[in-house]
Amino acid sequence: MFGNSKVASIGGLILFGTAGSSISKIVYELQSVGLDGQLAYFHKPWGMTAVMFMGMALCLPLAYWEQYTEEKQESAQPKTPFLQAQPKHNSDPKDIAMLLIPTAFDLGSTVLMNVGLLYVTASVYQMLKGSAMLFAALFSVTFLKRKLSRNHVLGLACCVVGMCLVGTASLMSGEGSVTQAISRDQMLLGMGLILASQAVAAAQHTAEDMMLSTMNMAPVKVVGYEGLFGLILTLGFMAPINYVLPGVEGEGLHENVFDTVEMVVNNPTLQLILLGDMAALAAFNSASMCILSQSGAVFRTVLETTRTLFVWLASLALFYGGFGLGESWTEWSWLQLVGFAVSMCGTLVYSSGGEDPKAVRSQDFGDLAPVKVEVEMSARKSRGLATGPRTAPEPRGLRTGSSPMPATILGRSLYKAGRSARQIYRSSAARVTACGACVSRSSGLLRMA
């Protein structure tokens, strides 16, 4: 959708991400007539969950279109036997069926968030979603046996402080909605549900990390299938259960799907907003995947933090623009701003914490899939390099066995050209070694068969 334009991807992530989060709260402020003939607010968290999965499912046609165009381009190019990348478009039915596990986590997380959003403002909702980093770190240490650096611990501590400041500011302001009266107990419940949703979301990410790393499936396709499975689970499994469960309509347990459809049909404005929400979700997921492939997860995390600020600004603009929506600026908003700043600093510090040195980055091997550590070690041995822990590099021009940086312009140019040639050679050697390891592994499997 966004191609290779980095600027378009960044703009799309911020624009459509802000629109999606803002619309999620705006919908709860709108009214329509239901089956009972009474005008009521559209408090349908399960209905909004179905809308979210519809938006995710829209990524599936986009994923297959990208697969078709890439395969068409690859078929027109000459093939190099030893440098073939592994296929990116895995469509194995067993792997696709495995996506039901993270989809179930996603369903639980989304419902908890949508119910919690009933009682808090869009800005508080967006800021509290930053707690997912805390739970993800906890689960990665517990289940994936990863270690946290000092920057990770410091970043998590800042996020905890920031979340506490944001929650305190929200409770003291007493504003959970500009159109309805929300008690402090309801606001506290809403914040607790959002925090619980982020714990479930972290479990989802941990499950995806454990299962999907070996699937070699395009991220957009993963999002599309999770949206399709989530829609089936929501409408085919949960909707009948919610229909018979006791409770107040629209508070998370009982929800009449037929009343939801009736309210949407009777309000054209609501129809347009929901269609816009689905389109925004599809565009946001597409832009998010483009950013991830172009600039990495750290840069995307920074943009996500920026999106939180834009959601807050959009809510203020809706309120002071005379639309009767959004949220106002209260005397406690300064405390919320400080909490947001502390959380943002924590996110940046956590993102700079570095990676596990035992993990091999896929960027080290270009388009090749992630390769085990022993492949990188064998590549280093083939180049005569040390395979132990890397030490800090010596200052440029003072390394043992190397000449100092030339002082002339011509000398510096030749020096840089030589370094580039060595890097190309080393990258090629690593690729060939990785391919050789894969061929050897395949040959061993054939002999066993």
Side-chain angles (χ1 to χ4, degrees):
M1 178 181 294
F2 294 94
N4 295 321
S5 175
K6 187 174 181 179
V7 176
S9 299
I10 294 174
L13 186 141
I14 295 177
L15 175 62
F16 294 111
T18 302
S21 297
S22 301
I23 289 175
S24 298
K25 182 62 178 180
I26 290 174
V27 167
Y28 291 152
E29 312 288 351
L30 299 179
Q31 292 180 308
S32 184
V33 178
L35 292 175
D36 58 358
Q38 301 295 322
L39 190 66
Y41 287 103
F42 189 79
H43 287 181
K44 303 290 184 179
W46 284 96
M48 292 302 297
T49 301
V51 170
M52 188 210 72
F53 282 126
M54 287 180 189
M56 292 174 60
L58 291 177
C59 293
L60 201 55
L62 176 64
Y64 278 100
W65 172 254
E66 290 182 352
Q67 176 178 343
Y68 169 76
T69 55
E70 289 183 12
E71 290 177 348
K72 187 176 180 180
Q73 292 175 357
E74 291 174 359
S75 63
Q77 296 177 354
K79 299 182 179 179
T80 306
F82 293 102
L83 295 179
Q84 291 299 311
Q86 296 184 6
K88 302 178 182 178
H89 304 291
N90 180 14
S91 297
D92 188 350
K94 294 182 180 179
D95 288 342
I96 294 175
M98 289 294 291
L99 294 176
L100 281 168
I101 296 176
T103 300
F105 284 112
D106 197 6
L107 175 60
S109 172
T110 304
V111 170
L112 290 173
M113 279 192 297
N114 286 336
V115 177
L117 184 57
L118 289 169
Y119 309 118
V120 299
T121 59
S123 64
V124 173
Y125 158 79
Q126 190 66 33
M127 292 177 190
L128 291 179
K129 287 174 65 177
S131 61
M133 184 176 67
L134 175 63
F135 295 109
L138 176 62
F139 291 151
S140 65
V141 171
T142 304
F143 299 106
L144 302 181
K145 305 303 180 183
R146 293 177 178 172
K147 296 182 179 180
L148 299 179
S149 66
R150 292 181 179 178
N151 282 5
H152 288 149
V153 176
L154 179 60
L156 293 175
C158 290
C159 285
V160 171
V161 173
M163 296 298 106
C164 293
L165 293 176
V166 170
T168 301
S170 178
L171 288 173
M172 297 305 296
S173 67
E175 183 182 37
S177 172
V178 295
T179 60
Q180 306 152 60
I182 305 295
S183 67
R184 282 188 169 85
D185 290 340
Q186 289 177 318
M187 295 174 62
L188 193 60
L189 173 63
M191 288 187 285
L193 290 174
I194 294 173
L195 292 176
S197 74
Q198 297 313 296
V200 179
Q204 173 197 349
H205 299 155
T206 304
E208 289 176 341
D209 198 0
M210 296 174 65
M211 296 186 309
L212 305 183
S213 59
T214 59
M215 287 186 181
N216 201 27
M217 187 179 296
V220 177
K221 185 180 290 186
V222 172
V223 172
Y225 273 114
E226 286 188 1
L228 178 62
F229 292 154
L231 185 61
I232 294 173
L233 288 175
T234 303
L235 298 181
F237 181 72
M238 293 306 303
I241 296 177
N242 296 132
Y243 183 81
V244 299
L245 284 177
V248 180
E249 175 72 22
E251 289 190 356
L253 288 178
H254 175 75
E255 186 168 320
N256 188 342
V257 64
F258 302 107
D259 185 64
T260 302
V261 174
E262 182 70 15
M263 294 184 74
V264 173
V265 171
N266 291 333
N267 191 334
T269 302
L270 185 59
Q271 298 172 19
L272 293 176
I273 290 180
L274 292 178
L275 288 175
D277 190 24
M278 284 188 286
L281 286 168
F284 170 75
N285 281 290
S286 177
S288 180
M289 294 302 105
C290 290
I291 289 292
L292 184 62
S293 62
Q294 294 169 355
S295 305
V298 174
F299 185 67
R300 187 179 67 171
T301 301
V302 175
L303 289 180
E304 285 286 342
T305 305
T306 306
R307 180 168 71 98
T308 302
L309 179 60
F310 278 97
V311 170
W312 196 3
L313 293 175
S315 299
L316 294 173
L318 287 172
F319 181 82
Y320 291 103
F323 296 97
L325 302 170
E327 60 186 277
S328 63
W329 182 274
T330 68
E331 59 180 344
W332 294 98
S333 296
W334 290 107
L335 182 61
Q336 182 178 342
L337 181 61
V338 173
F340 166 71
V342 174
S343 298
M344 182 177 65
C345 292
T347 301
L348 297 178
V349 171
Y350 183 91
S351 300
S352 64
E355 298 178 352
D356 188 348
K358 296 182 180 180
V360 181
R361 296 175 301 173
S362 60
Q363 296 94 318
D364 294 338
F365 298 95
D367 293 332
L368 295 175
V371 187
K372 291 184 178 180
V373 176
E374 52 264 25
V375 176
E376 187 192 21
M377 294 299 101
S378 62
R380 293 179 63 80
K381 288 180 180 178
S382 68
R383 301 197 300 267
L385 300 177
T387 58
R390 298 184 183 181
T391 58
E394 300 176 9
R396 180 180 293 180
L398 299 179
R399 297 179 184 175
T400 305
S402 64
S403 58
M405 173 69 78
T408 63
I409 297 177
L410 177 61
R412 286 196 297 270
S413 301
L414 293 175
Y415 178 83
K416 292 179 180 179
R419 289 189 63 189
S420 300
R422 286 196 298 273
Q423 291 175 355
I424 294 173
Y425 168 75
R426 292 173 179 176
S427 177
S428 301
R431 287 171 178 266
V432 172
T433 304
C435 291
C438 295
V439 171
S440 299
R441 191 182 299 110
S442 301
S443 300
L445 294 174
L446 289 175
R447 286 195 296 270
M448 292 174 63

